[in-house]
Amino acid sequence: MAIIERPTPTAAITLRAPVTPAQSMGIVRRPVTSTGWKSWVFTVDHKKIGIMYGVFAMFFFIVGGVEALLIRLQLATPDGKVLSADLYNQMFTMHATTMIFLFAMPMAAAFANYFLPLQLGARDVAFPRLNALGLWLLVAGGLILNASWFLGGAADGGWFMYSPNSGPVFSPSNGVDFWTLGVQIAGFGSLIGSINLIVTILNMRAPGMTLMKMPVFCWMILVVQFLLVFSLPVITVALVLLTFQRSFGATFFDVAQGADPLLWQHLFWIFGHPEVYVLILPAFGIITEVLPTFSRKPLFGYPFVVFSGASIGLVGFGVWSHHMFATGLGPISVAAFSIATMAIAIPTGVKIFNWTLTMWGGKIWYSTAMKFSIGLIVLFTIGGLSGVTHAVAPSDTQQTDTYYIVAHFHYVLFGGMVFGLFSGFYYWWPKVFGKMLNEKLGGWNFWLMVIGMNMTFGPMHILGLQGQPRRMYVWTEARAGEGLFNFGFWNKIASLGSLILTIGILFFLINIVYTARKGKIAPLDPWDARTLEWITTSPPKEHNFDRIPVVHHLDDFFHRKYQEDATTGELVQIATGEQLVRAEEANADAHIHLPSPSYWPIAIAVGVGTLGFGVVYGVPIMIVGVLMILGSSFGFVLEPSVAQDIDYDPPASGGQDTKELAPLG
Amino acid sequence: MAMWLFLGSECLLFGGLISTYMLYRGRITQGPRPSQIFDIPFTSVSSFVLLMSSLTMVLAVTSTQRRDYERSKLWLTVTALLGATFVGGQVYEFTAFYNEGLGFTTNLFSSSFYTLTGFHGVHVTVGVIMLMALRGIISKNRDTGDRAEVVELIGLYWHFVDIVWIIIFTLVYLIPA
């Protein structure tokens, strides 16, 4: 890694092959290898980090899915015996926590990390080592969260963890302690990641790419990162208060001392509602890339899509109390939050119209990626409509804590976010791995997921309006109701649906294995795509671009391929994607400097994890953790961004020591 | 840029803590009242020390911009020492309060008071560590980009922590509950 020197433009890229890394810092050797497991663990390459985020998220998607299946198994019949009440509480808590913090956010981070620099025409993110730190903090958080299963039971207070219910009196196991610490650490990781990505977007765009020539995916990621930067500190406060309460005997949520039980709810939802948009906007961004590509039309109303995304982000901060209508906030607050919540449907509606009109009159290519995008539009709209019914406070009072709510947020999160991410998998798989996912298996994957998802979550609307409460571990035959609205029938359908959904997702996993073994090698521009990530090889080279592209248009890659004929006004192809990539290779830059790998990000994360365990298991472990963090932070700060010549053996012959990619690290 | 964003995020962190404190400041069921234990002159002096450290930080930034690294090392050390004095004062103050019967777990006021001021103290401590690291970078002559910019960034953080203290000092100590 580090320094890529090319004596002549046509020569192959030569990496300095390090034989023995030399001493650095006088304490440890600096990693400089570019192959083997070390090149992954110590990497600062945004592409490798992105893939690791993806693998991590996929693993926890399966874990969370198994938890959901157990829940559905328990509810399939009256008085289910699969799980005990206590285990059921742990199950739904960890299902939600896993899916939100360990699948959805990391998977969005995977896409953002991998494609943001590629779409912006940059060689890496602004702070590569901080990027790695974000990833490893997330892993530490995920491990701490799930360690609780083996150390006396997982958290059982719901993902919202309302206090005082989550206090030591009602939740005596260590589960909640692990939960607060795990979420805290993972949240710290995403805070670092989001600062990094904002700086990347604002400072590292290719020459000529103004903000309004930036792909919509980057815009949505930008909005999401701002949401994270300003909402995560609030949950941090809440989590700190709860940790202090549980571990050090503070009194924040002790009602006997006069504490206010609404404090937690406010702090949580000031974070929790922006979080909802943190989850959905990346998916919106992905399908906004996919829809124009497969409709072979430019996006309809680019500025509208961008600004509606931004306004969703803005208004998203002013609606948190709609989660608390049932707590008796008083008519004025309820009315204000109710109106704000309805208002947020407007920019969302704008987006849906824009997507639909993008497809209108286009030559639509029904690839799997496109199917998932269309699936998102339809299913998200259903979920969005039921969402508007909660915005009406009187109606919400009826629906609060019933399965109707469960139906709503699964339509927007599963039908919306997960479908968007799957669309992204099929669209970008050839870019990341150089092989095409099988379209036939993809079709099975899509249709089984659509059927399964509607069978699972559709009936929950009926169940909820009939009054089946959320989070109850059993329902009884005696209160199941009759005829069409019988609980038994619809619960069975829902459980059956979850099985079909599982089979659909299995098809995706089969597809991955099949593609890895026998998949077709992807052409350089398989989808006739529009944005800059396709102007390099698949998978991209370590340095992304042979030459930093100069941007003149929105969808610059498309404009390089097609031009309007002056006389007829029709689009004429002037070059293929393949030719463009080859042209870039032929004119490659001679000097490319990349930041070197580093031990310190993962070292800091291990220290933070140790500190976390220390909070639960006693002060000595805490002290060890703090010392580890301090030591590795000093290492982090004092380390130069690029490995020095002496880090190589034989010593590298120099080259300009530029810092263009890692100014401050 | 990243530092500005981080500080924006920190504003909300302290916003949350201060709101919690404001909500709970009057809720005292047992233990001494704040007016009985606060030693306003003492805290004023330590606040003055912290504010003076902002001045020395500015001096450090300007001398780094003039490439007068000996001076900037000196001012960074002075800033770190002033910060450490402030933290020391806070530790002394906490000990005194504790001896007067205001434990962390005594009541809602004490929990939120210690959490808020403690968090600020931790921020000052982290700031002191960063100042020392910065001094290390300059004296080791390591090439980590534009030095004046790094000093300025740490300076931003330092001024932010000071400003937060002005708010906390006013709300917690000066305005009676």
Side-chain angles (χ1 to χ4, degrees):
Chain A
M1 223 170 179
I3 303 166
I4 293 169
E5 295 287 350
R6 268 175 293 196
T8 56
T10 47
I13 307 148
T14 51
L15 293 169
R16 297 256 154 225
V19 186
T20 325
Q23 292 282 324
S24 176
M25 293 298 305
I27 313 165
V28 282
R29 291 147 189 277
R30 177 148 193 170
V32 280
T33 49
S34 58
T35 51
W37 65 273
K38 279 187 184 170
S39 73
W40 288 86
V41 174
F42 304 123
T43 189
V44 295
D45 179 2
H46 73 95
K47 296 183 289 300
K48 283 182 176 168
I49 290 174
I51 291 173
M52 284 192 285
Y53 264 118
V55 171
F56 177 82
M58 208 60 212
F59 172 74
F60 279 106
F61 183 54
I62 296 165
V63 172
V66 170
E67 285 159 1
L69 273 180
L70 286 172
I71 293 173
R72 273 327 310 170
L73 212 57
Q74 163 80 1
L75 294 178
T77 52
D79 302 309
K81 296 274 185 294
V82 182
L83 302 169
S84 67
D86 185 33
L87 207 54
Y88 184 83
N89 284 348
Q90 296 177 22
M91 216 47 93
F92 75 71
T93 303
M94 290 305 282
H95 164 67
T97 308
T98 305
M99 285 304 194
I100 290 169
F101 292 105
L102 304 181
F103 163 65
M105 286 169 73
M107 197 52 100
F111 279 108
N113 259 297
Y114 201 101
F115 292 106
L116 207 64
L118 285 169
Q119 286 201 327
L120 295 173
R123 290 218 162 101
D124 207 323
V125 292
F127 305 105
R129 288 183 307 161
L130 283 182
N131 205 14
L133 178 60
L135 167 74
W136 294 115
L137 284 177
L138 176 82
V139 173
L143 290 180
I144 288 183
L145 262 174
N146 281 282
S148 58
W149 287 115
F150 310 105
L151 298 169
D156 54 2
W159 86 281
F160 39 82
M161 208 52 75
Y162 279 176
S163 231
N165 187 38
S166 56
V169 181
F170 302 104
S171 187
S173 82
N174 272 340
V176 178
D177 298 324
F178 283 110
W179 185 88
T180 49
L181 294 163
V183 174
Q184 185 81 279
I185 292 171
F188 196 53
S190 27
L191 180 69
I192 292 174
S194 53
I195 290 177
N196 186 3
L197 292 182
I198 294 178
V199 178
T200 307
I201 294 175
L202 295 184
N203 282 352
M204 300 192 52
R205 279 165 288 132
M209 184 184 278
T210 57
L211 280 175
M212 293 310 279
K213 284 179 188 156
M214 195 166 76
V216 176
F217 177 71
C218 299
W219 260 109
M220 291 306 115
I221 294 296
L222 180 64
V223 173
V224 166
Q225 307 313 319
F226 270 105
L227 285 172
L228 281 172
V229 164
F230 293 118
S231 66
L232 281 169
V234 184
I235 186 83
T236 305
V237 171
L239 292 170
V240 163
L241 299 185
L242 186 57
T243 311
F244 282 9
Q245 162 114 2
R246 291 183 57 96
S247 297
F248 309 125
T251 54
F252 297 110
F253 305 111
D254 189 348
V255 184
Q257 297 260 19
D260 194 332
L262 281 190
L263 174 68
W264 171 272
Q265 293 199 20
H266 277 293
L267 289 176
F268 183 82
W269 287 116
I270 289 175
F271 153 79
H273 202 80
E275 171 71 13
V276 172
Y277 299 106
V278 166
L279 299 177
I280 192 66
L281 287 178
F284 282 3
I286 291 170
I287 74 156
T288 315
E289 299 297 314
V290 170
L291 285 168
T293 305
F294 293 101
S295 306
R296 292 169 233 195
K297 269 180 72 188
L299 178 66
F300 182 86
Y302 169 86
F304 275 94
V305 178
V306 167
F307 286 119
S308 63
S311 57
I312 288 176
L314 206 62
V315 184
F317 268 106
V319 295
W320 78 88
S321 284
H322 69 212
H323 296 270
M324 302 160 59
F325 281 157
T327 57
L329 291 169
I332 294 177
S333 325
V334 168
F337 282 105
S338 185
I339 290 166
T341 308
M342 288 182 216
I344 213 164
I346 297 170
T348 319
V350 166
K351 275 181 183 293
I352 289 169
F353 278 116
N354 277 298
W355 292 327
T356 322
L357 288 170
T358 303
M359 291 192 286
W360 180 272
K363 283 186 274 178
I364 296 178
W365 174 4
Y366 286 103
S367 68
T368 312
M370 186 65 171
K371 284 181 199 155
F372 272 108
S373 290
I374 299 173
L376 181 145
I377 299 180
V378 174
L379 296 172
F380 183 85
T381 306
I382 298 175
L385 288 175
S386 65
V388 177
T389 67
H390 317 317
V392 185
S395 139
D396 182 70
T397 325
Q398 179 71 24
Q399 295 155 359
T400 295
D401 283 344
T402 68
Y403 263 87
Y404 191 81
I405 303 284
V406 181
H408 158 69
F409 68 69
H410 279 102
Y411 264 88
V412 288
L413 289 184
F414 199 97
M417 187 200 66
V418 177
F419 272 56
L421 295 177
F422 270 77
S423 176
F425 292 149
Y426 279 92
Y427 178 55
W428 276 318
W429 201 272
K431 180 85 271 177
V432 178
F433 297 104
K435 285 186 174 181
M436 308 289 287
L437 279 176
N438 186 291
E439 285 288 307
K440 202 168 176 186
L441 287 170
W444 280 96
N445 176 204
F446 171 72
W447 287 111
L448 284 172
M449 270 172 77
V450 170
I451 295 167
M453 129 103 215
N454 281 297
M455 268 176 73
T456 312
F457 304 117
M460 290 183 186
H461 289 112
I462 301 171
L463 287 170
L465 290 180
Q466 285 301 304
Q468 183 176 350
R470 285 170 81 174
R471 306 184 202 112
M472 293 299 286
Y473 81 112
V474 286
W475 52 275
T476 53
E477 192 66 63
R479 297 193 176 187
E482 285 168 0
L484 182 62
F485 298 116
N486 182 280
F487 277 10
F489 176 66
W490 292 113
N491 270 312
K492 271 210 181 59
I493 298 281
S495 294
L496 200 65
S498 64
L499 277 180
I500 298 179
L501 195 54
T502 313
I503 298 170
I505 289 164
L506 276 181
F507 266 99
F508 179 65
L509 299 178
I510 294 169
N511 202 348
I512 294 179
V513 177
Y514 177 85
T515 307
R517 297 217 169 153
K518 297 187 189 164
K520 268 194 309 182
I521 299 294
L524 284 177
D525 183 19
W527 314 120
D528 197 8
R530 312 177 70 86
T531 41
L532 285 181
E533 73 268 27
W534 300 98
I535 207 162
T536 178
T537 50
S538 308
K541 297 165 185 167
E542 203 166 7
H543 53 279
N544 290 356
F545 299 102
D546 285 312
R547 184 167 62 160
I548 293 293
V550 179
V551 176
H552 300 287
H553 302 277
L554 175 66
D555 294 339
D556 203 65
F557 184 55
F558 183 84
H559 284 276
R560 291 185 191 201
K561 288 187 289 187
Y562 296 92
Q563 244 173 18
E564 210 167 285
D565 189 291
T567 48
T568 59
E570 286 189 3
L571 278 182
V572 184
Q573 184 159 28
I574 50 169
T576 63
E578 190 106 7
Q579 288 167 339
L580 288 175
V581 176
R582 298 296 166 222
E584 294 296 303
E585 280 185 339
N587 295 307
D589 292 339
H591 298 279
I592 298 171
H593 295 275
L594 291 174
S596 303
S598 170
Y599 291 124
W600 301 116
I602 193 168
I604 296 181
V606 171
V608 173
T610 315
L611 176 64
F613 276 103
V615 173
V616 182
Y617 289 116
V619 176
I621 307 179
M622 276 171 84
I623 294 174
V624 175
V626 170
L627 289 179
M628 283 162 81
I629 297 170
L630 270 182
S632 33
S633 304
F634 268 95
F636 193 101
V637 171
L638 295 176
E639 178 184 68
S641 64
V642 177
Q644 290 164 334
D645 293 345
I646 52 153
D647 288 331
Y648 298 92
D649 192 26
S653 59
Q656 303 139 344
D657 205 12
T658 59
K659 298 289 178 295
E660 59 185 278
L661 293 167
L664 297 167
Chain B
M1 175 86 176
M3 188 53 91
W4 279 112
L5 286 167
F6 174 68
L7 295 181
S9 182
E10 291 269 274
C11 285
L12 274 109
L13 180 88
F14 279 105
L17 287 169
I18 291 173
S19 320
T20 308
Y21 174 78
M22 294 308 276
L23 182 68
Y24 284 162
R25 53 188 280 168
R27 302 195 184 178
I28 298 161
T29 46
Q30 50 186 327
R33 303 192 62 80
S35 52
Q36 294 164 329
I37 54 165
F38 279 170
D39 183 359
I40 303 282
F42 175 81
T43 317
S44 302
V45 171
S46 69
S47 307
F48 179 75
V49 167
L50 188 66
L51 293 186
M52 278 305 105
S53 73
S54 258
L55 175 70
T56 54
M57 189 71 225
V58 172
L59 291 171
V61 173
T62 48
S63 49
T64 321
Q65 278 162 349
R66 286 197 316 267
R67 296 176 185 281
D68 185 353
Y69 295 124
E70 285 309 310
R71 272 286 160 77
S72 64
K73 272 193 314 199
L74 173 72
W75 288 124
L76 284 175
T77 318
V78 173
T79 313
L81 280 177
L82 289 174
T85 314
F86 173 81
V87 176
Q90 197 174 36
V91 170
Y92 168 76
E93 193 186 51
F94 279 9
T95 326
F97 290 173
Y98 184 77
N99 290 335
E100 287 177 57
L102 189 78
F104 182 62
T105 58
T106 309
N107 53 34
L108 282 170
F109 159 73
S110 72
S111 288
S112 44
F113 168 78
Y114 282 125
T115 307
L116 173 58
T117 49
F119 249 82
H120 182 265
V122 169
H123 275 78
V124 178
T125 315
V126 170
V128 170
I129 294 170
M130 292 203 294
L131 290 170
M132 302 298 281
L134 201 54
R135 198 184 171 284
I137 290 175
I138 292 177
S139 61
K140 272 206 165 182
N141 217 10
R142 287 212 174 259
D143 188 10
T144 48
D146 186 358
R147 276 184 203 156
E149 198 185 342
V150 183
V151 179
E152 210 176 324
L153 287 176
I154 306 295
L156 268 180
Y157 172 86
W158 192 257
H159 297 316
F160 170 79
V161 172
D162 278 9
I163 293 168
V164 170
W165 180 251
I166 295 176
I167 298 168
I168 294 178
F169 184 59
T170 316
L171 289 177
V172 175
Y173 290 86
L174 298 182
I175 300 177

